[in-house]
């Protein structure tokens, strides 16, 4: 069930954040073209109801494009860091090459096939998939935690908001290729 506009507005009103005007269809299209991803339907519904700004919120309207690119790249960069510095390797990737440079090459290739994660707040990320009721992950390198089974559940958890009558969606997080394997 896609996050309704009314529920999105309620959640935004409850957040301890300044909320700017919603992103427009043209702004969504520009972001998609500039950064090569599409917000999942719930994330899009939230930002179409209002744009949280300041602090740890990504500034999708006026933010520095290089900083936004860095935030978009951070989950994959963190995994690659752990491959290089901490010996991280998923068994599903096959045998780890003995040379770190080759291991990084294989890991990069495998990570290109995973859903992109889009920053929601700080190091909390939502998958860029065309589905509703997706989890929000806390991601620091390969330390990945489901921080909310859905975007509304995440916002309630992160900001300690009372649930009220808001529909939270899934009660068990959907499995997201690769990222769910790290939780």
């Amino acid at each position: 069930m896609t996050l309704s506009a009314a529920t999105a507005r309620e959640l935004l009103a409850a957040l301890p954040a300044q909320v700017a005007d919603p992103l427009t269809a043209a702004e969504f299209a520009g972001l998609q073209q500039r950064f090569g991803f599409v917000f999942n339907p719930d994330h899009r519904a939230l930002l179409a109801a209002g744009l949280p700004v300041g602090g740890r919120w990504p500034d999708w309207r006026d933010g520095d494009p290089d900083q936004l690119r860095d935030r978009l790249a951070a989950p994959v960069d963190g995994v690659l860091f752990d491959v290089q510095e901490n010996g991280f390797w998923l068994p599903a990737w096959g045998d780890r090459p003995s040379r770190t440079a080759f291991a990084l090459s294989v890991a990069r290739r495998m990570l290109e096939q995973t859903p992109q994660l889009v920053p929601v707040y700080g190091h909390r990320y939502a998958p860029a998939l065309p589905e509703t009721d997706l989890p929000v992950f806390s991601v620091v390198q390969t330390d990945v935690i489901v921080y909310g089974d859905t975007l509304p559940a995440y916002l309630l958890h992160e900001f300690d908001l009372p649930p009220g009558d808001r529909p939270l969606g899934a009660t068990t997080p959907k499995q997201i290729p690769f990222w769910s394997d790290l939780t």
Side-chain angles (χ1 to χ4, degrees):
M1 164 172 86
T2 302
L3 179 65
S4 73
T7 301
R9 284 191 299 273
E10 282 181 35
L11 287 165
L12 288 167
L15 292 177
Q18 180 182 347
V19 178
D21 290 339
L23 290 179
T24 65
E27 287 174 315
F28 280 114
L31 289 165
Q32 177 180 336
Q33 181 180 3
R34 176 180 273 173
F35 298 112
F37 75 91
V38 177
F39 291 96
N40 73 49
D42 295 328
H43 198 177
R44 183 181 177 107
L46 182 75
L47 299 176
L51 179 64
V53 293
R56 298 173 60 200
W57 295 99
D59 187 347
W60 295 112
R61 179 171 288 126
D62 298 317
D64 179 302
D66 290 333
Q67 287 180 353
L68 289 169
R69 274 188 201 85
D70 288 348
R71 288 184 77 173
L72 285 160
V76 166
D77 289 349
V79 172
L80 294 173
F81 177 86
D82 276 357
V83 168
Q84 180 174 336
E85 300 297 328
N86 299 315
F88 174 79
W89 196 257
L90 272 185
W93 292 349
D95 292 335
R96 181 185 168 104
S98 57
R99 295 189 56 197
T100 301
F102 293 138
L104 283 168
S105 176
V106 170
R108 262 191 204 89
R109 210 171 36 248
M110 299 306 283
L111 289 165
E112 287 172 1
Q113 301 169 32
T114 66
Q116 183 169 3
L117 296 182
V118 178
V120 174
Y121 177 80
H123 59 273
R124 313 294 195 236
Y125 290 83
L129 293 170
E131 301 173 37
T132 61
D133 291 332
L134 295 174
V136 172
F137 296 106
S138 173
V139 181
V140 178
Q141 294 166 228
T142 52
D143 182 11
V144 178
I145 301 166
V146 174
Y147 224 69
D149 294 351
T150 63
L151 181 60
Y154 157 72
L155 292 170
L156 295 177
H157 178 236
E158 180 76 58
F159 298 102
D160 199 25
L161 304 175
D165 295 332
R166 298 179 188 99
L168 299 180
T171 57
T172 301
K174 287 185 178 178
Q175 294 294 299
I176 306 303
F178 177 74
W179 301 107
S180 293
D181 295 338
L182 299 182
T183 62

